[in-house]
Amino acid sequence: MRTLCLENLLRLACLAAVAASANSAVLAQAETSKTLTIAAHEGTPTVDGDIDEIWKDVPEAEVVKVVKSETSMPEEELAKGKVKLLWDKDNLYALFQDAKLSASSSDDWAQDSIELFVDEMNERAGEYQADDAQYRVNYEGKISGAGLGYDPKNIKAVAKKIEGGYLVEMSVKLSHAKREAETKLGLDLQINDDPGTGSRGGISKWNHPENDSYQSTSNFGTLILEAAPKK
């Protein structure tokens, strides 16, 4: 009888452990797949590296999710930042504020830089379509990018060193999305950190904490274009 009781207890303990493991996996998957939403107010800043008054009350997106598979440096030392977004009849504007400076790597994606991924039609089609693009600006203002929708003529950017780091102010021409209030676009935001080694030591993201946004739009967050706030 004792043997049977012990066997039953062990069986119950194993089942409980399996259930707990499954629940943890589900929670982890839910956290990874959670889609964030941020608003962009209507307005036109001057893209010059100076923070205009128009940026003052714009919501901030926090680029703080660590891409663990691509991060070899201590997470507490990883560059993270905040981004504000504006839009008008022609462009999407972004203001990144970040820290830590290095451009010693020969690879653009490995230098201290920011990246903006946009799916103008919010189709989340997976592979990049004609309305999808990846835009990158390093802390020295060097522009690069990729994707079927990328055209270097469509981006203007200014990088500026500030106390403790740098900021990037940029505009990206919108060619496919409706430029009107309540329009939704697919979006993700990224900060690359070279800790001074000449290679990328880590990545911070806004929405999806995996290094896949340059390949697929499926896991982008959502950007909502909002009318200018009434004063």
Side-chain angles (χ1 to χ4, degrees):
M1 182 67 69
R2 286 183 180 177
T3 301
L4 289 174
C5 289
L6 182 58
E7 289 179 352
N8 288 334
L9 287 173
L10 289 173
R11 189 177 295 111
L12 289 172
C14 289
L15 290 173
V18 169
S21 178
N23 287 337
S24 297
V26 170
L27 289 172
Q29 183 177 2
E31 178 63 26
T32 299
S33 61
K34 183 179 179 181
T35 300
L36 298 179
T37 299
I38 185 69
H41 288 175
E42 185 177 7
T44 304
T46 301
V47 181
D48 57 5
D50 294 328
I51 303 177
D52 300 341
E53 184 70 16
I54 196 171
W55 288 110
K56 181 178 178 182
D57 297 319
V58 176
E60 291 182 328
E62 294 189 334
V63 186
V64 297
K65 292 186 177 181
V66 179
V67 179
K68 296 183 182 297
S69 63
E70 300 294 322
T71 299
S72 58
M73 59 192 295
E75 291 185 12
E76 63 273 13
E77 297 179 9
L78 180 63
K80 300 176 181 179
K82 296 181 178 180
V83 185
K84 294 184 176 185
L85 299 146
L86 291 166
W87 67 278
D88 61 21
K89 64 182 180 65
D90 296 312
N91 300 300
L92 175 66
Y93 301 90
L95 176 65
F96 283 77
Q97 296 188 66
D98 184 26
K100 302 181 182 179
L101 310 174
S102 177
S104 56
S105 174
S106 59
D107 296 315
D108 294 330
W109 51 265
Q111 299 170 2
D112 276 335
S113 57
I114 59 86
E115 298 192 31
L116 183 150
F117 304 88
V118 62
D119 173 3
E120 290 194 39
M121 301 303 292
N122 197 31
E123 296 169 319
R124 305 175 192 275
E127 292 185 3
Y128 274 50
Q129 309 297 312
D131 62 301
D132 308 324
Q134 171 190 13
Y135 298 94
R136 182 188 303 107
V137 184
N138 81 354
Y139 85 93
E140 296 176 322
K142 181 181 179 183
I143 292 171
S144 56
L148 290 177
Y150 175 73
D151 186 334
K153 296 192 298 290
N154 290 342
I155 177 174
K156 177 182 178 181
V158 175
K160 184 177 180 179
K161 294 180 182 179
I162 58 176
E163 184 177 354
Y166 69 103
L167 66 79
V168 172
E169 189 173 24
M170 63 190 292
S171 67
V172 170
K173 184 176 178 59
L174 296 176
S175 303
H176 301 271
K178 292 181 179 179
R179 275 81 79 194
E180 59 186 36
E182 304 307 320
T183 297
K184 295 182 179 180
L185 290 72
L187 181 82
D188 215 337
L189 305 163
Q190 178 170 315
I191 295 174
N192 302 308
D193 191 346
D194 171 4
T197 61
S199 61
R200 187 168 62 187
I203 300 174
S204 297
K205 296 278 291 290
W206 168 57
N207 181 69
H208 188 61
E210 299 292 340
N211 185 31
D212 59 358
S213 295
Y214 70 98
Q215 296 175 315
S216 171
T217 62
S218 299
N219 295 306
F220 284 11
T222 302
L223 171 67
I224 302 177
L225 306 185
E226 291 189 350
K230 295 181 179 180
K231 296 183 179 180

CSV table of all heavy atoms in Angstrom, one decimal, residues 64 68 78 82 85 102 113 121 127 154 157-158 161 186 209:
chain,number,residue,atom,x,y,z
A,64,VAL,N,13.3,49.0,-24.9
A,64,VAL,CA,14.0,48.4,-23.7
A,64,VAL,C,14.0,46.9,-23.7
A,64,VAL,O,14.5,46.3,-22.8
A,64,VAL,CB,13.4,49.0,-22.4
A,64,VAL,CG1,13.6,50.5,-22.3
A,64,VAL,CG2,11.9,48.6,-22.3
A,68,LYS,N,17.9,38.7,-26.4
A,68,LYS,CA,18.8,37.9,-25.6
A,68,LYS,C,19.7,37.1,-26.5
A,68,LYS,O,20.9,36.9,-26.2
A,68,LYS,CB,18.1,37.0,-24.6
A,68,LYS,CG,17.3,37.8,-23.6
A,68,LYS,CD,16.7,36.8,-22.6
A,68,LYS,CE,15.9,37.6,-21.5
A,68,LYS,NZ,16.7,38.4,-20.7
A,78,LEU,N,23.5,47.6,-21.5
A,78,LEU,CA,23.0,47.7,-22.9
A,78,LEU,C,22.3,49.0,-23.1
A,78,LEU,O,21.5,49.5,-22.3
A,78,LEU,CB,22.0,46.6,-23.1
A,78,LEU,CG,21.4,46.5,-24.5
A,78,LEU,CD1,22.4,46.3,-25.6
A,78,LEU,CD2,20.3,45.4,-24.6
A,82,LYS,N,14.3,56.0,-25.8
A,82,LYS,CA,12.9,56.3,-25.9
A,82,LYS,C,12.8,57.0,-27.3
A,82,LYS,O,13.7,57.7,-27.8
A,82,LYS,CB,12.5,57.2,-24.8
A,82,LYS,CG,12.5,56.6,-23.4
A,82,LYS,CD,12.0,57.5,-22.4
A,82,LYS,CE,12.0,56.8,-21.0
A,82,LYS,NZ,11.5,57.7,-19.9
A,85,LEU,N,7.2,59.9,-32.0
A,85,LEU,CA,6.8,59.9,-33.5
A,85,LEU,C,5.8,61.0,-33.8
A,85,LEU,O,4.9,61.2,-33.0
A,85,LEU,CB,6.3,58.5,-33.8
A,85,LEU,CG,7.3,57.3,-33.5
A,85,LEU,CD1,6.5,56.1,-33.1
A,85,LEU,CD2,8.0,57.0,-34.8
A,102,SER,N,29.9,54.3,-30.5
A,102,SER,CA,31.0,53.6,-31.2
A,102,SER,C,30.6,53.2,-32.6
A,102,SER,O,29.5,52.7,-32.8
A,102,SER,CB,31.4,52.2,-30.4
A,102,SER,OG,32.4,51.6,-31.2
A,113,SER,N,23.7,52.5,-33.4
A,113,SER,CA,22.8,53.0,-34.4
A,113,SER,C,21.4,52.7,-33.9
A,113,SER,O,21.1,51.9,-33.0
A,113,SER,CB,23.1,52.4,-35.7
A,113,SER,OG,23.0,51.0,-35.6
A,121,MET,N,1.3,49.5,-45.0
A,121,MET,CA,-0.1,49.0,-45.2
A,121,MET,C,-0.5,48.1,-44.1
A,121,MET,O,-1.6,47.6,-44.0
A,121,MET,CB,-0.2,48.2,-46.5
A,121,MET,CG,0.2,49.1,-47.8
A,121,MET,SD,-0.8,50.6,-47.9
A,121,MET,CE,-2.4,49.8,-48.3
A,127,GLU,N,7.5,38.3,-45.5
A,127,GLU,CA,8.5,38.8,-46.3
A,127,GLU,C,8.2,40.2,-46.7
A,127,GLU,O,7.0,40.6,-46.9
A,127,GLU,CB,8.7,38.0,-47.6
A,127,GLU,CG,9.3,36.6,-47.3
A,127,GLU,CD,9.5,35.8,-48.6
A,127,GLU,OE1,9.3,36.4,-49.7
A,127,GLU,OE2,9.9,34.7,-48.5
A,154,ASN,N,14.3,58.7,-49.6
A,154,ASN,CA,13.1,58.9,-48.8
A,154,ASN,C,13.4,59.2,-47.4
A,154,ASN,O,12.4,59.4,-46.6
A,154,ASN,CB,12.2,57.6,-48.9
A,154,ASN,CG,11.5,57.5,-50.3
A,154,ASN,OD1,11.5,58.5,-51.0
A,154,ASN,ND2,11.1,56.3,-50.6
A,157,ALA,N,18.0,62.5,-42.1
A,157,ALA,CA,18.3,62.2,-40.7
A,157,ALA,C,19.4,63.1,-40.2
A,157,ALA,O,20.4,63.4,-41.0
A,157,ALA,CB,18.6,60.7,-40.4
A,158,VAL,N,19.4,63.5,-39.0
A,158,VAL,CA,20.5,64.2,-38.3
A,158,VAL,C,20.8,63.5,-37.0
A,158,VAL,O,19.9,63.3,-36.2
A,158,VAL,CB,20.1,65.7,-38.1
A,158,VAL,CG1,21.2,66.4,-37.3
A,158,VAL,CG2,19.8,66.4,-39.4
A,161,LYS,N,25.4,64.4,-30.9
A,161,LYS,CA,25.9,64.0,-29.6
A,161,LYS,C,25.3,64.8,-28.5
A,161,LYS,O,25.2,66.1,-28.7
A,161,LYS,CB,27.4,64.0,-29.6
A,161,LYS,CG,28.1,63.1,-30.5
A,161,LYS,CD,29.6,63.2,-30.4
A,161,LYS,CE,30.3,62.3,-31.4
A,161,LYS,NZ,31.8,62.4,-31.3
A,186,GLY,N,2.3,49.2,-39.5
A,186,GLY,CA,3.2,48.3,-38.7
A,186,GLY,C,4.5,48.9,-38.4
A,186,GLY,O,5.0,49.7,-39.2
A,209,PRO,N,11.0,41.1,-29.1
A,209,PRO,CA,12.4,40.9,-28.6
A,209,PRO,C,13.2,39.7,-29.3
A,209,PRO,O,13.8,38.9,-28.7
A,209,PRO,CB,12.2,40.6,-27.1
A,209,PRO,CG,10.9,39.9,-27.1
A,209,PRO,CD,10.0,40.5,-28.2
